[in-house]
Amino acid sequence: MARRTAVAWAALGPLLWGCALALQGGMLYPRESPSRERKELDGLWSFRADFSHNRRRGFEEQWYRRPLRESGPTLDMPVPSSFNDISQDWRLWDFVGWVWYEREVILPERWTQDLSTRVVLRIGSAHAYAIVWVNGVDTLEHEGGYLPFEADISNLVQVGPLSSQLRITIAINNTLTPTTLPPGTIQYLTDTSKYPKGYFVQNIYFDFFNYAGLQRSVLLYTTPTAYIDDITVTTSVEHDSGLVNYQISVKGSNLFELEVRLLDAENKLVANGAGTQGQLKVPGARLWWPYLMHKRPAYLYSLEVRLTAQMSLGPVSDFYTLPVGIRTVAVTESQFLINGKPFYFHGVNKHEDADIRGKGFDWPLLVKDFNLLRWLGANAFRTSHYPYAEEVLQMCDRYGIVVIDECPGVGLALPQFFNNVSLQNHMRVMEEVVRRDKNHPAVVMWSVANEPASHLESAGYYLKMVITHTKALDPSRPVTFVTNSNYAADKGAPYVDVICLNSYYSWYHDYGHLELIQQQLTTQFESWYKTYQKPIIQSEYGAETIVGFHQDPPLMFTEEYQKSLLEQYHVVLDQKRRKYVVGELIWNFADFMTEQSPTRVLGNKKGVFTRQRQPKSAAFLLRERYWKIANETRNSKI
Ligand code: GCB
């Protein structure tokens, strides 16, 4: 039996402050301010998939050197969106290889003429590998979807009177290989009696469609040449005072002053400081609480940072305002604590997918989903199985919805995926996730993977390294990965702070036998807890359900079966949740698209909402349960 000491990060507070591994460069969300402007490049882009045999025609003919339309026929492609579902050309649906995007832009004159302005091109996400040219000049490369990347393009745009015309070309390759995250394999099918010459397929080891393209916003923004590059905030609570520790990095000047002001939600100054790091004390601070846990949840302060730098052209100022929630997170042997109070995750797993936009970011969908989460009484979700758009996390900060932030470490199913190159890449991806999301109060835990083959020795070492690295990057949050291994075989579980378990009793095992769930689930919880003495979250459970299918007594795929399965899980969850089970996240919030297969009917149908966000019967059951739990929690002392 592995025993462990409870870890309480809150108590360590500022001590941990200096420990965080320095992240190279910032990835602040591009906000407007008196010193910063934004120009969104969303809308129609020119698009061309490279259908050539080796998929390299675009490079051989250098499509980036002139307007894409001159290279051959192009399509109109909306950004953000996945390219897969937009066209009637079936070849785009599961296209594997390079696709090309292009957009022409006119810049405001002051951006190109004012040499104290810095112009940055930022791509919210390009899945999975991207090369960017600006006016034909190779500017930027990035590996990995779901995370932003950017380049200072001032040198390219501030070169003369004609420079306000800009042509941005982005080549994106969605191929997944054993060293990408998620990994995949390319398989050539060489039996010429069955397949044409050169025929290949992309194998993936996860259960969602590998949507690709420019799925989040592309934008240009400005800063002065001396600028606030990054801000890191951690918070703690001492008696009734909130402590806000900040660290600021500045680029472009060594001769500067920093002023820091913390304002409350009514815009009143509550604390101020100066310099690149410090601690602000807020007597009588209002804490950031998850909604449903407190009558005044999600309170946000604003950290206003003002930089004044002395430059050869004269003084330069930069302003950046960061929303800050003061809260603590800690884990004991059997509890997950927020602000020192036990927190129970009653929520969902999501995907960022809907309709023809695929995984393209969409404001109406974002707002609808948050309205549904609140209708359901869900207080949390996991970003299964990749980091979601930044706007999603901002919404969570504002609404008080708690997030387990998961990286794209999904589909680590084969032994060859646990190699050194993959490990280095996985650690780099965690750096990018932490760099982007570290300041969100809603994010209370990092998840480094979903269902890796954690029974393998090599996976044990791999997971230990990724988890240790993540903790070094951010000592203020617990770290987990989500497992479906057996408790006795799991080599990664010793390193996590919270055990997250996926199980599908009476669905993938003993299917149809709902009467076995209680026994099997009880055994699951008891064996894991006995072995590890760590709090447990039921991070997935559910049943495939085709809306409108009914049968009583319930049979698989009907709405009645989904409800009955959930009810059986809930009996055991209710027994254990007052002990060491600290959460339940249904699989899934909504139906979503997957690869075609004999076990998937137009995608995965385990949603409690359809892909069009209409409720199945189980949504009403879950709603009743979540509100009941919320009311109990609110009415008790906590
Ligand atoms: C799982 C996976 C999830 C799948 C789900 C299912 O365990 O984590 O990605 O979609 O099961 O429905 O099979």
Side-chain angles (χ1 to χ4, degrees):
M1 185 192 297
R3 281 231 147 233
R4 95 188 229 287
T5 352
V7 187
W9 288 268
L12 298 173
L15 273 184
L16 294 169
W17 177 233
C19 308
L21 265 190
L23 290 163
Q24 293 302 307
M27 192 48 74
L28 289 175
Y29 184 74
R31 293 176 190 282
E32 283 175 324
S33 81
S35 58
R36 295 173 174 232
E37 290 175 82
R38 254 172 84 121
K39 186 175 172 66
E40 271 157 44
L41 304 184
D42 295 347
L44 288 188
W45 287 54
S46 294
F47 174 90
R48 186 171 178 196
D50 186 343
F51 289 109
S52 65
H53 188 62
N54 65 1
R55 304 284 198 256
R56 296 203 54 84
R57 188 160 155 209
F59 293 94
E60 286 154 13
E61 296 179 357
Q62 302 184 322
W63 289 356
Y64 48 88
R65 297 202 70 157
R66 52 210 162 97
L68 196 57
R69 60 184 174 274
E70 292 176 18
S71 74
T74 56
L75 300 176
D76 282 337
M77 187 55 70
V79 172
S81 80
S82 309
F83 62 75
N84 312 75
D85 269 353
I86 296 292
S87 155
Q88 293 310 100
D89 182 347
W90 62 268
R91 293 176 306 164
L92 269 187
W93 165 251
D94 54 3
F95 178 83
V96 179
W98 290 99
V99 297
W100 292 72
Y101 282 80
E102 182 205 73
R103 161 88 196 241
E104 280 162 353
V105 194
I106 309 229
L107 296 184
E109 200 172 54
R110 64 183 178 284
W111 289 26
T112 60
Q113 303 303 310
D114 175 1
L115 296 185
S116 59
T117 291
R118 184 175 155 264
V119 182
V120 183
L121 170 62
R122 189 186 206 260
I123 291 138
S125 112
H127 183 63
Y129 191 89
I131 307 178
V132 183
W133 293 264
V134 173
N135 290 341
V137 177
D138 190 346
T139 307
L140 182 60
E141 294 194 20
H142 183 259
E143 177 172 342
Y146 314 114
L147 288 161
F149 53 102
E150 60 180 34
D152 179 342
I153 59 165
S154 315
N155 287 345
L156 294 165
V157 301
Q158 293 168 345
V159 288
L162 290 177
S163 54
S164 57
Q165 283 257 13
L166 211 64
R167 187 166 44 80
I168 300 170
T169 315
I170 309 181
I172 302 178
N173 194 328
N174 60 353
T175 310
L176 301 178
T177 74
T179 57
T180 56
L181 205 65
T185 52
I186 295 289
Q187 186 183 4
Y188 280 88
L189 298 161
T190 49
D191 178 347
T192 48
S193 70
K194 289 193 191 154
Y195 308 104
K197 205 162 160 271
Y199 195 83
F200 67 91
V201 286
Q202 165 82 72
N203 295 320
I204 55 172
Y205 304 87
F206 51 82
D207 182 40
F208 56 92
F209 192 74
N210 190 30
Y211 279 116
L214 291 174
Q215 303 182 129
R216 295 181 190 155
S217 288
V218 179
L219 55 89
L220 292 162
Y221 71 93
T222 63
T223 73
T225 42
Y227 61 97
I228 300 156
D229 177 54
D230 199 13
I231 306 172
T232 307
V233 161
T234 56
T235 61
S236 55
V237 179
E238 214 177 66
H239 309 296
D240 77 331
S241 291
L243 302 177
V244 176
N245 304 296
Y246 64 86
Q247 188 161 36
I248 301 165
S249 83
V250 169
K251 284 200 175 151
S253 169
N254 291 325
L255 207 61
F256 60 82
E257 280 176 13
L258 278 168
E259 282 171 60
V260 179
R261 287 154 39 95
L262 191 71
L263 306 178
D264 67 12
E266 287 72 48
N267 248 356
K268 281 212 296 288
L269 182 70
V270 292
N272 60 341
T276 55
Q277 69 180 67
Q279 184 175 78
L280 304 176
K281 190 165 180 176
V282 189
R286 271 183 65 178
L287 302 186
W288 186 95
W289 288 94
Y291 101 111
L292 299 175
M293 195 174 174
H294 198 270
K295 54 183 180 308
R296 295 190 302 181
Y299 191 85
L300 291 174
Y301 291 86
S302 299
L303 189 80
E304 278 190 4
V305 180
R306 180 199 179 114
L307 164 78
T308 316
Q310 295 308 323
M311 307 294 282
S312 52
L313 296 170
V316 157
S317 297
D318 189 22
F319 304 87
Y320 192 90
T321 301
L322 182 77
V324 170
I326 302 178
R327 58 112 185 89
T328 64
V329 174
V331 172
T332 71
E333 269 187 13
S334 59
Q335 289 180 323
F336 195 99
L337 304 172
I338 297 186
N339 300 333
K341 310 283 187 217
F343 176 72
Y344 188 76
F345 296 76
H346 46 89
V348 303
N349 290 277
K350 287 185 94 260
H351 264 298
E352 274 193 311
D353 124 316
D355 300 329
I356 51 168
R357 63 181 77 88
K359 284 197 193 324
F361 177 79
D362 182 66
W363 283 108
L365 182 73
L366 175 79
V367 176
K368 179 72 179 176
D369 279 4
F370 274 78
N371 286 335
L372 289 178
L373 286 170
R374 296 196 296 184
W375 177 88
L376 209 55
N379 66 0
F381 64 82
R382 169 166 70 119
T383 68
S384 41
H385 298 303
Y386 39 82
Y388 294 175
E390 290 152 287
E391 291 80 0
V392 177
L393 296 182
Q394 289 163 9
M395 199 81 156
C396 291
D397 289 344
R398 289 179 42 225
Y399 282 33
I401 292 189
V402 165
V403 177
I404 301 172
D405 199 350
E406 188 159 277
C407 88
V410 60
L412 292 157
L414 306 181
Q416 64 262 38
F417 295 162
F418 298 97
N419 60 62
N420 268 337
V421 179
S422 301
L423 175 59
Q424 293 307 321
N425 187 35
H426 202 141
M427 298 207 284
R428 181 191 58 81
V429 171
M430 282 317 304
E431 285 168 23
E432 288 188 29
V433 177
V434 173
R435 174 188 300 139
R436 193 195 73 161
D437 295 344
K438 62 191 171 185
N439 292 323
H440 289 285
V443 174
V444 297
M445 180 155 65
W446 306 111
S447 164
V448 303
N450 179 67
E451 298 187 353
S454 51
H455 59 282
L456 300 172
E457 285 297 340
S458 55
Y461 171 76
Y462 182 105
L463 288 164
K464 177 182 174 185
M465 296 301 286
V466 179
I467 291 169
T468 312
H469 188 60
T470 307
K471 281 172 173 287
L473 292 166
D474 177 13
S476 77
R477 288 180 178 89
V479 182
T480 190
F481 75 91
V482 171
T483 184
N484 64 345
S485 289
N486 177 278
Y487 72 96
D490 198 301
K491 302 284 188 297
Y495 310 111
V496 300
D497 298 305
V498 175
I499 305 265
C500 288
L501 301 177
N502 292 350
S503 60
Y504 285 90
Y505 300 123
S506 196
W507 188 260
Y508 290 124
H509 318 275
D510 300 303
Y511 25 90
H513 291 283
L514 295 166
E515 72 279 8
L516 296 175
I517 292 178
Q518 292 191 30
Q519 181 184 346
Q520 296 184 357
L521 189 59
T522 304
T523 309
Q524 170 200 279
F525 284 140
E526 289 179 355
S527 21
W528 278 91
Y529 191 68
K530 198 159 158 248
T531 312
Y532 296 103
Q533 314 262 296
K534 298 180 186 187
I536 299 177
I537 295 177
Q538 180 69 42
S539 41
E540 286 183 28
Y541 69 107
E544 209 77 22
T545 307
I546 301 185
V547 72
F549 274 27
H550 293 286
Q551 183 89 20
D552 187 62
L555 293 184
M556 290 175 82
F557 296 98
T558 64
E559 297 198 32
E560 288 73 20
Y561 192 88
Q562 186 181 35
K563 269 174 62 178
S564 305
L565 185 144
L566 264 51
E567 274 164 350
Q568 292 302 309
Y569 264 82
H570 296 162
V571 172
V572 182
L573 284 162
D574 278 339
Q575 289 159 5
K576 302 294 180 197
R577 76 183 156 95
R578 290 181 187 85
K579 299 180 177 151
Y580 49 82
V581 170
V582 299
E584 54 187 87
L585 306 174
I586 186 83
W587 191 263
N588 191 286
F589 172 72
D591 295 345
F592 57 92
M593 191 47 76
T594 63
E595 295 285 288
Q596 299 186 72
S597 96
T599 57
R600 294 287 178 259
V601 187
L602 271 185
N604 186 309
K605 294 275 188 281
K606 294 196 186 71
V608 293
F609 295 99
T610 63
R611 210 167 174 230
Q612 292 69 36
R613 277 32 184 188
Q614 295 308 321
K616 299 180 190 172
S617 310
F620 296 94
L621 175 93
L622 213 55
R623 179 179 196 223
E624 209 182 303
R625 172 172 178 77
Y626 284 176
W627 280 102
K628 190 171 140 256
I629 298 177
N631 288 332
E632 269 174 31
T633 327
R634 271 198 294 214
N635 294 339
S636 73
K637 291 243 154 41
I638 54 172

